[in-house]
Amino acid sequence: MTNSNSVQALFQPFSTKNMTLSNRIVMAPMTRQFSPEGVPGDDVAAYYRRRAENGVGLIVTEGTIINHPDSSNQENVPHFYGEEALKGWANVAAEVHKAGGRIIPQIWHMGARGHVGDYTEEDIAAIVEAFAQAAADAKRIGFDGIELHGAHGYLIDQFFWEQTNPRTDRYGGDMVERTRFAVEVIEACRRAVGPDFPIVLRFSQWKGSDYSAKLATTPAELEQFLAPLTDAGVDVFHCSTRRFWEPEFEGSDLNLAGWTKKLTGKPTITVGSVGLDSEFMALLTEGKGAGIANIDGLLEKLERGEFDLVAIGRALLADPAWASKIHDGRIDELTPFSPDALRTLY
């Protein structure tokens, strides 16, 4: 199924700022709603530690919400504020570190109930400060960096996309002007954590309400979009796609992560149905599982340097030992993904 020499591309060290990873495998953020009243318990720590023990280089936590009244509309999604929740997250980070892994929280605001035009500039300033406080707390309690969730139609992405950003002030306008909110969030987080703490930004073309949506329809537009975010202080771009193997633009085999690296010079994370034979919308729309798929194409792209890191979602949710099994060539022992994996604490 895979060439042993090619597989070694996944198991090379990687460094950015003051964070060094043992390999290129990233656990993708996956919402699970197992934190009653927003507080992650020992079971959550065990869940993440199990992946670190089995060779995942970097864990990106499930989305954790910032301290703002509109930041969540789901019960039992973990908070990243408040004494009890932060104590729980400190324990998660410590357990992952004991297992030899690295971990960053995904910091999240789910978005405006109406549209981003409903926020006053005072509201926006308060949200920016809440992101910065979460970043400062992440550093204080022992995390290795942060990821800002700017994808999938959530708040930061609502500012990015013209369909959800009708503002006529400095937070609206053309593609570059619509990055202003994200730029302010990134800059505030950078001030909060200092120059050496990694900041990852996850972004996507597709939206939860429109899988065919595009922020940028050409490489030139993508370069315009990414430039202010890079200048603001993003260290790594996490480029969310539904299928990692699909080219982003006509005339090139590069996917979104490949184009982003080419245009910015920054390290990138690719993601999208890695190791599975169906993309994740089949799960959301039809409740389907997924079989195991060949990763040779992924490894070839990684070897060519098109991107730097590979995020694994459902395959790693179903099988905590995915990384170690791939490393050891135990392909026949991989566990297929089923929807039941979402309902377990495994």
Side-chain angles (χ1 to χ4, degrees), residues 321-335:
W322 187 91
S324 60
K325 290 176 181 178
I326 292 290
H327 179 272
D328 297 341
R330 294 182 286 135
I331 309 301
D332 57 341
E333 297 179 25
L334 291 170
T335 303

Side-chain angles (χ1 to χ4, degrees), residues 96 146 152 173 193 224 275 336:
V96 167
I146 60 165
H152 308 165
V193 300
Q224 286 183 316

